[in-house]
Amino acid sequence: MRQFSGTKTEIKMKKLILYSLLLFSKIVFCQSVDNDEKYFKFQYDTIVEKTFVLDLEKLFDKTQINELDSLTAEFEKETSIEIAIVTFDDKYDSDEDFHQNTLFVAKWIGIGKEELNNGILIGISKKSKKIRIENGDGIVAILTDEETKSIIDNSFIPNFKEKRYFEGTKEGLKKIIEHLKIKIKK
């Protein structure tokens, strides 16, 4: 994943830009093909509060967003690991599109610290019935793809099948955090 780099002032500016992205509530993903590679343009129109949660699909209410954001912010302060949660609308109609979109957003936002490459992006689409977790290279050593899949299968999916999207997201997020805390202490 692309990470923040530069002086402390430059990093603060980059984070301000990241947070500005997350401050906008309506984002339209415009898809184009250039040399068989998809890219996106973002259009912004309404500012909302700073958060690690960008709920484009409107799965969560304000209280739920605040709760998820608190969990991610506290964990980031404790460990420097940044976790972002993005819900996508139904514009992503194939597995490949959803995968490319989550990977693009993870790289574009630059979640995590550059020198540690320790960001995680949780991408969710209720309408497309998809979830994907993108782990930075620094995370893969302590949260493998197999462990990530297990958390998705055992925490997110059972709740999502019952239409409990907040509960599933919160439970999955807590399992990720719990797992990482145990591995970091070792």
Side-chain angles (χ1 to χ4, degrees), residues 39-63:
Y39 66 94
F40 304 89
K41 296 178 184 175
F42 292 88
Q43 298 175 352
Y44 317 102
D45 61 8
T46 307
I47 296 178
V48 295
E49 63 189 88
K50 178 173 82 171
T51 179
F52 283 101
V53 182
L54 183 59
D55 186 17
L56 301 175
E57 198 170 23
K58 309 290 186 226
L59 291 182
F60 313 122
D61 64 32
K62 188 174 175 93
T63 303

Side-chain angles (χ1 to χ4, degrees), residues 57-58 140 144 156 182:
E57 198 170 23
K58 309 290 186 226
V140 173
T144 67
F156 288 93
I182 291 169

Side-chain angles (χ1 to χ4, degrees), residues 4-5 31 88 105 109 115 119 147 166:
F4 294 126
S5 63
Q31 210 169 323
F88 295 93
V105 170
I109 289 175
E115 64 279 2
E147 291 165 330
F166 170 70

Side-chain angles (χ1 to χ4, degrees), residues 2-167:
R2 185 178 66 80
Q3 303 297 318
F4 294 126
S5 63
T7 66
K8 286 186 178 186
T9 303
E10 289 170 335
I11 292 171
K12 285 181 183 178
M13 287 304 296
K14 289 178 182 181
K15 285 193 176 193
L16 180 60
I17 291 168
L18 162 66
Y19 293 136
S20 295
L21 166 66
L22 296 176
L23 292 174
F24 295 97
S25 66
K26 292 184 181 178
I27 295 181
V28 178
F29 289 89
C30 302
Q31 210 169 323
S32 298
V33 176
D34 183 32
N35 297 329
D36 295 328
E37 207 170 298
K38 295 181 180 167
Y39 66 94
F40 304 89
K41 296 178 184 175
F42 292 88
Q43 298 175 352
Y44 317 102
D45 61 8
T46 307
I47 296 178
V48 295
E49 63 189 88
K50 178 173 82 171
T51 179
F52 283 101
V53 182
L54 183 59
D55 186 17
L56 301 175
E57 198 170 23
K58 309 290 186 226
L59 291 182
F60 313 122
D61 64 32
K62 188 174 175 93
T63 303
Q64 293 169 333
I65 289 172
N66 289 338
E67 189 172 340
L68 293 171
D69 186 56
S70 291
L71 287 170
T72 58
E74 287 173 27
F75 185 63
E76 189 272 334
K77 284 179 188 171
E78 207 176 301
T79 65
S80 84
I81 296 172
E82 294 177 355
I83 303 174
I85 301 167
V86 178
T87 67
F88 295 93
D89 58 24
D90 62 351
K91 291 179 178 59
Y92 313 102
D93 54 5
S94 76
D95 288 339
E96 184 62 22
D97 284 346
F98 187 75
H99 167 73
Q100 292 302 320
N101 294 339
T102 55
L103 186 59
F104 173 79
V105 170
K107 287 180 179 181
W108 192 76
I109 289 175
I111 296 297
K113 308 298 184 262
E114 180 179 19
E115 64 279 2
L116 302 174
N117 201 2
N118 65 346
I120 299 172
L121 180 104
I122 301 170
I124 300 167
S125 176
K126 170 186 155 186
K127 291 179 184 173
S128 298
K129 296 181 180 177
K130 292 179 177 45
I131 179 170
R132 183 164 183 88
I133 298 177
E134 298 289 347
N135 294 326
D137 291 338
I139 296 296
V140 173
I142 54 176
L143 180 63
T144 67
D145 290 342
E146 294 79 23
E147 291 165 330
T148 301
K149 183 180 180 333
S150 176
I151 291 170
I152 289 171
D153 291 344
N154 296 312
S155 297
F156 288 93
I157 300 295
N159 283 291
F160 287 4
K161 284 183 177 178
E162 299 295 322
K163 301 189 183 332
R164 295 188 314 257
Y165 299 99
F166 170 70
E167 293 80 0

